[in-house]
Amino acid sequence: MRLQRYPFVLHSFMIDKHNIELVLPETWQASALFEQLHKNLKEFSKWLVWANKIDSVQKEVDSIKLFQQKMVDGTAFNLVILVDEKPSGMIDLHYLKDESGEVGYWLSSDFQHLGIMTKCVEFLEQYAFEQLKLEYLILRTHPQNFASQNVAKRSGFDYLKDDENGHKVFVIKNN
């Protein structure tokens, strides 16, 4: 008998006839996440320094286990983005401290430019401020990643500065 895989759904919404669910990361999602990373590697490697390091399903499994441990330790909060029940991206809070966290995300090109990531970031903001009681969030983007900068702006983040690596730094405060 095979156990069914039922993800723990933290949040769900519909966009453009797509059912979006934000779920806890589990190792059974690794193969589909790796497939999306591999399919989008040329684009993702421009923006995500770690993208080339995930070169096998096993490394994705290891990453998920690391995410799970960081969640237990309270140093990160990671969610997988399911689009129509298929793992298609991730969103997280990393460098999590008592007062702040840094937002990171990626989404398969199949589902970009539909408003999915903006809604995911807005949910993460709400969760961070209401549940985690954070004071502010940071979001960094590559200087040429205009799509990600637009997600930050649409989600209410304000441009703060360019950091020492030339990345655009956006911030949103808990009101």
Side-chain angles (χ1 to χ4, degrees), residues 139-154:
L139 194 158
R140 292 176 204 273
T141 71
H142 186 281
Q144 300 302 313
N145 191 342
F146 303 116
S148 195
Q149 291 168 30
N150 287 332
V151 167
K153 292 173 189 173
R154 282 192 304 271

PDB file of all heavy atoms in Angstrom, residues 139-154:
ATOM      1  N   LEU A 139      14.044  42.596   0.797  1.00  0.00           N
ATOM      2  CA  LEU A 139      13.998  41.846  -0.455  1.00  0.00           C
ATOM      3  C   LEU A 139      15.106  42.400  -1.343  1.00  0.00           C
ATOM      4  O   LEU A 139      15.137  43.604  -1.601  1.00  0.00           O
ATOM      5  CB  LEU A 139      12.622  42.017  -1.105  1.00  0.00           C
ATOM      6  CG  LEU A 139      12.227  41.091  -2.232  1.00  0.00           C
ATOM      7  CD1 LEU A 139      10.706  41.049  -2.358  1.00  0.00           C
ATOM      8  CD2 LEU A 139      12.854  41.428  -3.550  1.00  0.00           C
ATOM      9  N   ARG A 140      16.030  41.540  -1.749  1.00  0.00           N
ATOM     10  CA  ARG A 140      17.151  41.960  -2.614  1.00  0.00           C
ATOM     11  C   ARG A 140      16.943  41.401  -4.016  1.00  0.00           C
ATOM     12  O   ARG A 140      16.537  40.254  -4.170  1.00  0.00           O
ATOM     13  CB  ARG A 140      18.482  41.427  -2.089  1.00  0.00           C
ATOM     14  CG  ARG A 140      18.939  42.009  -0.808  1.00  0.00           C
ATOM     15  CD  ARG A 140      20.232  41.338  -0.330  1.00  0.00           C
ATOM     16  NE  ARG A 140      20.357  41.488   1.095  1.00  0.00           N
ATOM     17  CZ  ARG A 140      20.914  42.525   1.686  1.00  0.00           C
ATOM     18  NH1 ARG A 140      21.415  43.497   0.958  1.00  0.00           N
ATOM     19  NH2 ARG A 140      20.971  42.599   2.991  1.00  0.00           N
ATOM     20  N   THR A 141      17.292  42.202  -5.011  1.00  0.00           N
ATOM     21  CA  THR A 141      17.213  41.726  -6.389  1.00  0.00           C
ATOM     22  C   THR A 141      18.497  42.080  -7.129  1.00  0.00           C
ATOM     23  O   THR A 141      19.167  43.068  -6.812  1.00  0.00           O
ATOM     24  CB  THR A 141      16.038  42.355  -7.163  1.00  0.00           C
ATOM     25  OG1 THR A 141      16.317  43.727  -7.426  1.00  0.00           O
ATOM     26  CG2 THR A 141      14.734  42.225  -6.391  1.00  0.00           C
ATOM     27  N   HIS A 142      18.800  41.261  -8.113  1.00  0.00           N
ATOM     28  CA  HIS A 142      19.891  41.599  -9.031  1.00  0.00           C
ATOM     29  C   HIS A 142      19.515  42.916  -9.711  1.00  0.00           C
ATOM     30  O   HIS A 142      18.336  43.159  -9.997  1.00  0.00           O
ATOM     31  CB  HIS A 142      20.030  40.468 -10.057  1.00  0.00           C
ATOM     32  CG  HIS A 142      21.200  40.618 -10.956  1.00  0.00           C
ATOM     33  ND1 HIS A 142      21.197  41.472 -12.034  1.00  0.00           N
ATOM     34  CD2 HIS A 142      22.424  40.023 -10.938  1.00  0.00           C
ATOM     35  CE1 HIS A 142      22.356  41.402 -12.656  1.00  0.00           C
ATOM     36  NE2 HIS A 142      23.119  40.535 -12.008  1.00  0.00           N
ATOM     37  N   PRO A 143      20.490  43.782  -9.996  1.00  0.00           N
ATOM     38  CA  PRO A 143      20.155  45.083 -10.581  1.00  0.00           C
ATOM     39  C   PRO A 143      19.440  45.006 -11.930  1.00  0.00           C
ATOM     40  O   PRO A 143      18.725  45.939 -12.300  1.00  0.00           O
ATOM     41  CB  PRO A 143      21.509  45.787 -10.714  1.00  0.00           C
ATOM     42  CG  PRO A 143      22.546  44.740 -10.547  1.00  0.00           C
ATOM     43  CD  PRO A 143      21.930  43.635  -9.759  1.00  0.00           C
ATOM     44  N   GLN A 144      19.589  43.878 -12.653  1.00  0.00           N
ATOM     45  CA  GLN A 144      18.927  43.743 -13.959  1.00  0.00           C
ATOM     46  C   GLN A 144      17.648  42.901 -13.904  1.00  0.00           C
ATOM     47  O   GLN A 144      17.014  42.676 -14.928  1.00  0.00           O
ATOM     48  CB  GLN A 144      19.899  43.136 -14.969  1.00  0.00           C
ATOM     49  CG  GLN A 144      21.150  43.959 -15.193  1.00  0.00           C
ATOM     50  CD  GLN A 144      20.844  45.373 -15.659  1.00  0.00           C
ATOM     51  OE1 GLN A 144      20.045  45.565 -16.566  1.00  0.00           O
ATOM     52  NE2 GLN A 144      21.432  46.360 -15.028  1.00  0.00           N
ATOM     53  N   ASN A 145      17.285  42.421 -12.702  1.00  0.00           N
ATOM     54  CA  ASN A 145      16.090  41.586 -12.581  1.00  0.00           C
ATOM     55  C   ASN A 145      14.871  42.482 -12.351  1.00  0.00           C
ATOM     56  O   ASN A 145      14.348  42.602 -11.241  1.00  0.00           O
ATOM     57  CB  ASN A 145      16.257  40.568 -11.448  1.00  0.00           C
ATOM     58  CG  ASN A 145      15.163  39.522 -11.453  1.00  0.00           C
ATOM     59  OD1 ASN A 145      14.120  39.701 -12.052  1.00  0.00           O
ATOM     60  ND2 ASN A 145      15.421  38.424 -10.768  1.00  0.00           N
ATOM     61  N   PHE A 146      14.412  43.085 -13.420  1.00  0.00           N
ATOM     62  CA  PHE A 146      13.316  44.050 -13.346  1.00  0.00           C
ATOM     63  C   PHE A 146      11.993  43.394 -12.956  1.00  0.00           C
ATOM     64  O   PHE A 146      11.181  44.004 -12.270  1.00  0.00           O
ATOM     65  CB  PHE A 146      13.193  44.814 -14.667  1.00  0.00           C
ATOM     66  CG  PHE A 146      14.466  45.517 -15.045  1.00  0.00           C
ATOM     67  CD1 PHE A 146      15.166  45.160 -16.178  1.00  0.00           C
ATOM     68  CD2 PHE A 146      14.989  46.532 -14.242  1.00  0.00           C
ATOM     69  CE1 PHE A 146      16.352  45.792 -16.526  1.00  0.00           C
ATOM     70  CE2 PHE A 146      16.164  47.173 -14.568  1.00  0.00           C
ATOM     71  CZ  PHE A 146      16.858  46.804 -15.724  1.00  0.00           C
ATOM     72  N   ALA A 147      11.782  42.153 -13.362  1.00  0.00           N
ATOM     73  CA  ALA A 147      10.545  41.453 -12.994  1.00  0.00           C
ATOM     74  C   ALA A 147      10.469  41.302 -11.469  1.00  0.00           C
ATOM     75  O   ALA A 147       9.417  41.543 -10.869  1.00  0.00           O
ATOM     76  CB  ALA A 147      10.469  40.098 -13.684  1.00  0.00           C
ATOM     77  N   SER A 148      11.570  40.926 -10.854  1.00  0.00           N
ATOM     78  CA  SER A 148      11.595  40.763  -9.404  1.00  0.00           C
ATOM     79  C   SER A 148      11.459  42.112  -8.694  1.00  0.00           C
ATOM     80  O   SER A 148      10.794  42.221  -7.664  1.00  0.00           O
ATOM     81  CB  SER A 148      12.876  40.053  -8.974  1.00  0.00           C
ATOM     82  OG  SER A 148      12.761  39.601  -7.650  1.00  0.00           O
ATOM     83  N   GLN A 149      12.058  43.144  -9.249  1.00  0.00           N
ATOM     84  CA  GLN A 149      11.907  44.484  -8.680  1.00  0.00           C
ATOM     85  C   GLN A 149      10.452  44.929  -8.749  1.00  0.00           C
ATOM     86  O   GLN A 149       9.943  45.552  -7.810  1.00  0.00           O
ATOM     87  CB  GLN A 149      12.814  45.468  -9.414  1.00  0.00           C
ATOM     88  CG  GLN A 149      14.280  45.215  -9.146  1.00  0.00           C
ATOM     89  CD  GLN A 149      15.202  45.980 -10.073  1.00  0.00           C
ATOM     90  OE1 GLN A 149      14.885  47.065 -10.536  1.00  0.00           O
ATOM     91  NE2 GLN A 149      16.367  45.407 -10.347  1.00  0.00           N
ATOM     92  N   ASN A 150       9.765  44.579  -9.833  1.00  0.00           N
ATOM     93  CA  ASN A 150       8.349  44.923  -9.953  1.00  0.00           C
ATOM     94  C   ASN A 150       7.498  44.163  -8.940  1.00  0.00           C
ATOM     95  O   ASN A 150       6.536  44.712  -8.399  1.00  0.00           O
ATOM     96  CB  ASN A 150       7.846  44.680 -11.380  1.00  0.00           C
ATOM     97  CG  ASN A 150       8.376  45.723 -12.346  1.00  0.00           C
ATOM     98  OD1 ASN A 150       8.666  46.851 -11.962  1.00  0.00           O
ATOM     99  ND2 ASN A 150       8.513  45.345 -13.599  1.00  0.00           N
ATOM    100  N   VAL A 151       7.839  42.907  -8.661  1.00  0.00           N
ATOM    101  CA  VAL A 151       7.130  42.151  -7.620  1.00  0.00           C
ATOM    102  C   VAL A 151       7.293  42.877  -6.285  1.00  0.00           C
ATOM    103  O   VAL A 151       6.315  43.065  -5.548  1.00  0.00           O
ATOM    104  CB  VAL A 151       7.654  40.698  -7.514  1.00  0.00           C
ATOM    105  CG1 VAL A 151       7.149  40.025  -6.244  1.00  0.00           C
ATOM    106  CG2 VAL A 151       7.247  39.894  -8.740  1.00  0.00           C
ATOM    107  N   ALA A 152       8.510  43.301  -5.979  1.00  0.00           N
ATOM    108  CA  ALA A 152       8.760  44.018  -4.723  1.00  0.00           C
ATOM    109  C   ALA A 152       7.895  45.274  -4.636  1.00  0.00           C
ATOM    110  O   ALA A 152       7.218  45.510  -3.622  1.00  0.00           O
ATOM    111  CB  ALA A 152      10.244  44.377  -4.601  1.00  0.00           C
ATOM    112  N   LYS A 153       7.876  46.063  -5.686  1.00  0.00           N
ATOM    113  CA  LYS A 153       7.108  47.309  -5.682  1.00  0.00           C
ATOM    114  C   LYS A 153       5.610  47.045  -5.583  1.00  0.00           C
ATOM    115  O   LYS A 153       4.909  47.703  -4.812  1.00  0.00           O
ATOM    116  CB  LYS A 153       7.426  48.115  -6.946  1.00  0.00           C
ATOM    117  CG  LYS A 153       8.842  48.649  -6.973  1.00  0.00           C
ATOM    118  CD  LYS A 153       9.153  49.280  -8.322  1.00  0.00           C
ATOM    119  CE  LYS A 153      10.622  49.617  -8.449  1.00  0.00           C
ATOM    120  NZ  LYS A 153      10.966  50.071  -9.811  1.00  0.00           N
ATOM    121  N   ARG A 154       5.108  46.069  -6.358  1.00  0.00           N
ATOM    122  CA  ARG A 154       3.667  45.750  -6.306  1.00  0.00           C
ATOM    123  C   ARG A 154       3.252  45.214  -4.937  1.00  0.00           C
ATOM    124  O   ARG A 154       2.104  45.351  -4.542  1.00  0.00           O
ATOM    125  CB  ARG A 154       3.294  44.736  -7.391  1.00  0.00           C
ATOM    126  CG  ARG A 154       3.170  45.340  -8.777  1.00  0.00           C
ATOM    127  CD  ARG A 154       2.524  44.369  -9.761  1.00  0.00           C
ATOM    128  NE  ARG A 154       3.209  43.102  -9.846  1.00  0.00           N
ATOM    129  CZ  ARG A 154       4.205  42.813 -10.674  1.00  0.00           C
ATOM    130  NH1 ARG A 154       4.635  43.723 -11.522  1.00  0.00           N
ATOM    131  NH2 ARG A 154       4.763  41.617 -10.687  1.00  0.00           N
TER     132      ARG A 154
END
